[in-house]
């Protein structure tokens, strides 16, 4: 059984930083890409950042230059460094793995950016 567990969310002031972690366990094989999505209240879930199987990084325009996605294959971990946070970044952030074994989601972690 595949399990993705996010951590690192919380309340932060505008301009602050957070680091999200995603721990993967279980039988995941044939990974196409791994990424982070977010869903704000009343809005659709949107892609934030993705790492392809070839190591190519892609970001939503709204987070380019502020967020950085990375992974540690040895530890089965994925990270999202969020800098210069803005109130509009407030959302539940989800870890995602798209693989031959299926599309896997974490339970989400809340980030609230507010003064």
């Amino acid at each position: 059984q595949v399990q993705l567990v996010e951590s690192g969310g919380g309340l932060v002031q505008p301009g602050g930083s957070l680091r999200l972690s995603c721990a993967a366990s279980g039988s995941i094989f044939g990974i196409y890409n791994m990424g982070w999505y977010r869903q704000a209240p009343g809005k659709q879930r949107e892609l934030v950042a993705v790492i392809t199987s070839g190591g190519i990084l892609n970001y939503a325009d709204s987070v380019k230059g502020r967020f950085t996605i990375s992974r540690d294959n040895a530890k089965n971990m994925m990270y999202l460094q969020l800098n210069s946070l803005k109130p509009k970044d407030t959302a539940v952030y989800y870890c995602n793995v798209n693989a031959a074994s299926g599309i896997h989601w974490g339970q989400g972690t809340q980030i609230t950016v507010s003064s």
Side-chain angles (χ1 to χ4, degrees):
Q1 183 177 356
V2 174
Q3 189 173 23
L4 302 178
V5 179
E6 302 97 337
S7 60
L11 174 64
V12 63
Q13 292 186 343
S17 297
L18 285 173
R19 188 192 194 207
L20 301 183
S21 299
C22 174
S25 62
S27 180
I28 302 176
F29 57 89
I31 293 177
Y32 303 131
N33 52 59
M34 304 173 63
W36 291 92
Y37 288 72
R38 68 185 180 186
Q39 187 166 18
K43 295 189 177 181
Q44 290 187 333
R45 192 172 297 189
E46 63 175 1
L47 175 67
V48 175
V50 65
I51 301 179
T52 69
S53 59
I56 297 173
L57 311 183
N58 286 307
Y59 297 92
D61 287 343
S62 59
V63 307
K64 282 181 181 177
R66 300 188 298 122
F67 293 5
T68 303
I69 189 172
S70 61
R71 67 184 180 192
D72 185 333
N73 291 335
K75 297 181 178 179
N76 291 328
M77 296 290 295
M78 183 170 63
Y79 306 97
L80 185 69
Q81 178 67 39
L82 304 89
N83 297 328
S84 303
L85 282 160
K86 305 174 181 181
K88 65 180 181 179
D89 295 318
T90 295
V92 178
Y93 284 72
Y94 297 90
C95 170
N96 168 270
V97 173
N98 183 13
S101 57
I103 299 174
H104 311 287
W105 291 94
Q107 82 288 350
T109 185
Q110 175 72 46
I111 290 180
T112 302
V113 185
S114 175
S115 55

